[in-house]
Amino acid sequence: MTLTLTVSDEVRALAPGFTHIAVTAHGLVNGPSSDAGSALLDDAARRLAVRLDGRAPHEDPHMAAWREVYTAFGAKPSRTRNSAEALAKRALSGAGLPRINLLVDLYNAISVAHLIPVGGEDLGRIQGGMRLIRATGDEPFVTVADGAETVEHPDAGEVVWCDDAGVTCRRWNWRQGPRTRLTEETVSALFLLEGMAPMPVADVERAAAELAELLEKCSPGARIEVHPASGFQPGAVARIGPAVRADRV
């Protein structure tokens, strides 16, 4: 079945410089964090340090643009950082980057190396199409607090990713819910790479191509497809069906 990705008119009006590229993968083999994945994370931290050249992550123009958008929908970017800035901050600290599982480690490495928010969703757990909207405040967000499942609701006007069952990621790309996250049982996944002007679309495309190459190496025989940036006019829908192979991006 074709998966649709929709960005609402309200989000487009809020952030006209937003772009996203999807990478889909079927036939994946996930597993615990490995030495290879750990090496990729360490290399990503080194690449980030070179990229920033002594600056703090929030001083990068791409991260500054994300902060402006977060402020525009009512979030406090110094407290609820976009996923790329949060990872970058950890990468440059003594704590270092977390090791979660192989697939998560791969896309976190791409996020840090390119300073681009990247998310991973288990395609088998997505219900209906994915939509990026400004929340009404009634949408359910199932999460875990103190070891127990609980339901939260986004703030009215907050930008969220959601599917037919509810919110999958709050505050755009700040916190993913456990329902659709990638686990060691994941075999099919959707990866979303999100850019904001002034970052060129070509930079996001390069990051997507690198992610596709890493996925192919860790899961030989998997079907990996990169879906070029499209559907960026108000009201447009990107349909994730037949797509361009990674080596053509």
Side-chain angles (χ1 to χ4, degrees):
M1 188 167 81
T2 300
L3 173 70
T4 59
L5 297 178
T6 308
V7 178
S8 73
D9 292 352
E10 292 78 14
V11 172
R12 288 292 179 206
L14 178 75
F18 172 64
T19 189
H20 67 282
I21 293 177
V23 178
T24 53
H26 300 273
L28 293 169
V29 178
N30 199 8
S33 296
S34 65
D35 290 343
S38 186
L40 285 170
L41 288 168
D42 289 341
D43 181 63
R46 288 190 290 269
R47 292 167 65 182
L48 173 69
V50 171
R51 180 190 188 94
L52 291 175
D53 192 23
R55 296 173 298 165
H58 70 268
E59 295 176 307
D60 179 86
H62 189 215
M63 295 297 94
W66 275 105
R67 282 193 165 217
E68 289 179 7
V69 171
Y70 265 51
T71 300
F73 68 77
K76 296 181 178 179
S78 60
R79 293 176 56 189
T80 55
R81 296 177 177 87
N82 74 78
S83 63
E85 185 183 332
L87 280 173
K89 186 176 175 64
R90 286 201 59 170
L92 299 174
S93 73
L97 289 166
R99 272 60 171 169
I100 309 299
N101 60 55
L102 181 56
L103 289 178
V104 175
D105 293 350
L106 291 187
Y107 80 70
N108 278 349
I110 293 298
S111 178
V112 170
H114 293 268
L115 208 52
I116 292 173
V118 182
E121 307 283 347
D122 190 317
L123 278 171
R125 300 184 181 191
I126 295 173
Q127 299 185 33
M130 295 282 292
R131 301 180 298 281
L132 187 63
I133 64 170
R134 299 199 70 175
T136 64
D138 296 327
E139 298 87 353
F141 177 69
V142 179
T143 187
V144 176
D146 297 324
E149 185 176 284
T150 185
V151 178
E152 299 177 354
H153 298 277
D155 299 328
E158 181 182 326
V159 176
V160 297
W161 277 104
C162 62
D163 65 3
D164 290 354
V167 174
T168 58
C169 195
R170 286 198 59 187
R171 292 178 189 155
W172 209 313
N173 46 41
W174 168 63
R175 187 174 67 166
Q176 183 186 31
R179 174 171 60 89
T180 59
R181 68 186 175 192
L182 303 184
T183 69
E184 292 184 24
E185 288 71 46
T186 298
V187 294
S188 296
L190 165 70
F191 301 91
L192 284 172
L193 296 87
E194 301 181 301
M196 194 74 66
M199 174 167 276
V201 174
D203 287 2
V204 187
E205 291 173 338
R206 278 190 286 273
E210 185 177 341
L211 175 59
E213 290 173 2
L214 291 177
L215 292 170
E216 289 175 336
K217 288 178 181 178
C218 79
S219 295
R223 179 163 57 89
I224 315 296
E225 297 178 325
V226 176
H227 306 264
S230 62
F232 298 133
Q233 297 303 313
V237 177
R239 290 178 172 81
I240 307 303
V244 175
R245 290 289 302 174
D247 57 5
R248 291 176 55 197
V249 172

